[in-house]
Amino acid sequence: MVKAVVGEEGRLSLVEERLAKSGTMVEIGLVIGKLSQVLDRGFVFDLVATPSNDAGQPPCSLVGNNDDRNKNKNKKSNNPSSSSSSSLVIDVDWVAEHARQVSRMMVGGIKVIGVYLWAPEAAFKNSTLLLSQTIKGVAGAAPLSNYGSDERLLLHICYSPRRWTCRSCSLASNITSSSLRPCDFKMGRVLNSLQAFKCIYKFDIRLPVFSEKNSDVNTLNDILRDGISIHAKELNSAIAMVDGDLVDVNEDVPCTSDDLHEVELLLPFVKDGSMEASSQNEVVGILVFCGTICTYSYLSAKEPVSQAVADIKEDITMGLRSRLDIISDEAERETAAASGDGSQSNSEMSNAKSLYTFFLKPASKEIILPFPRRVFIPWLAGLFVCDYLLPRETFEAVREHFKEMLSMEIPEDASVMEPEKEPSNPTSRSFWDVAASSYRASDGALNESNSRYGDVKAGIQVKYDTTVKQIQCFLIDKCYETGEVF
């Protein structure tokens, strides 16, 4: 339970000054920061305004007699209740969508932890139920899965009189106006006390592709999503080394050094149940999902090092899922565009979404599907946020998205980092090279495979052969390679 909240004074003062000069009556947006269960505290790094929706309409507006800001305080109103009749209209779905997009751009330990509102006191009091529903929508779009927290923050900035108030919104029960609980709020120096952790994580996931009658999973999207969930469970049991030293969870202490800390994750030796022997009637291929991920995590003062490790593990999993979501969204747009064209060729392409329909064709070809690569952009006080680039996109797409989502411009001289390079095409001559990467028929095959896989950063490859009897028992010399973007 959050008992106190500390906001970054430098950033929040700038937000207050901007709002005071803007002349706007109401504004809603997202609270970016951290919620610490260990310290029972919340930390607010920045406030990000929700932009207008696709129709150009603001996400929040006032209705009723709401000109409290310009009202002459010395003049009595003829209707005593008129000053308290204003209320809010909020596009809850749009605010939640903004939270979903922004949460993808945050790295380990930094989250969308609530909603802020710039509005008159009367409008706030008359709209507490709607605000609670908005917070619930934001929590659903940007979950805090690693924290097990059932609360979010509501930060109200009132301009008449000028004051900041913070409330904690409980999500454990049905949302009512009583779900909001006041908590202490003050401003201070938060960002300068953060500890930075970095991890370069290599993964190599091998997933069987089952025949359509033996599986409810029938798209590449579904197979990968299941595979990421399985890998996330293995990742949670990984042992961590920070700056070369093992992290002892029994003697977990805060980190005192200001330097960037290097984290290495050591996965346990576990039996890969997904690669167990299967009959030809069950398995029609192998999907290879491999690459290298760069991730950052930021730790508040007095938080244990294990929290940074947990944040990095979650960021790896969420980063993989975010890339998959981006590809899914892109595939849906392309399918919709092809369907709207009306031509037969485009219609056939749109209908070929099933991975198994493509597999069961007599002829096959090689298609490599690279995942979006992650780029890191300087944000606040040495912190980074991230964005993802599809293969055909340029950095200008990141600039536009950064401005739209975070209401900030990326300076021309910004030190943008791109640790995840373009993937190369992973190929293999035998089915076994894909089914079990540790197996090699000869030293020559080993050297050849290393040259193929050594510089792969993020990509998917599917192996398929109609003569497979058992995945773990037979070396298949003849192999077709194929893949499909949903």
Side-chain angles (χ1 to χ4, degrees), residues 10-11 38 70-71 76 110 150 212 231 239 276 326 332 338 413 448 479 483:
R11 290 299 304 173
V38 176
N70 300 321
K71 186 178 296 182
K76 294 184 179 180
I110 303 178
D150 60 353
E212 196 166 2
H231 188 71
I239 298 174
E276 292 180 351
I326 291 171
E332 289 177 1
D413 58 347
E448 184 178 0
C479 179

Side-chain angles (χ1 to χ4, degrees), residues 92-103:
V92 177
D93 293 338
W94 183 249
V95 177
E97 175 61 22
H98 183 221
R100 186 178 75 92
Q101 295 283 346
V102 170
S103 65

Side-chain angles (χ1 to χ4, degrees), residues 268-307:
F269 291 100
V270 295
K271 183 178 181 181
D272 191 351
S274 65
M275 296 303 299
E276 292 180 351
S278 302
S279 68
Q280 181 183 8
N281 294 331
E282 295 175 347
V283 176
V284 295
I286 292 293
L287 185 147
V288 178
F289 183 30
C290 57
T292 300
I293 294 177
C294 179
T295 178
Y296 283 84
S297 176
Y298 296 97
L299 200 65
S300 300
K302 299 183 180 180
E303 282 189 295
V305 175
S306 61
Q307 183 61 58

Side-chain angles (χ1 to χ4, degrees), residues 123-152:
F124 176 84
K125 291 181 177 179
N126 293 336
S127 308
T128 53
L129 180 58
L130 179 59
L131 287 167
S132 298
Q133 293 171 346
T134 303
I135 293 175
K136 184 177 181 180
V138 167
L144 305 182
S145 56
N146 199 37
Y147 290 82
S149 177
D150 60 353
E151 59 184 333
R152 298 294 188 276

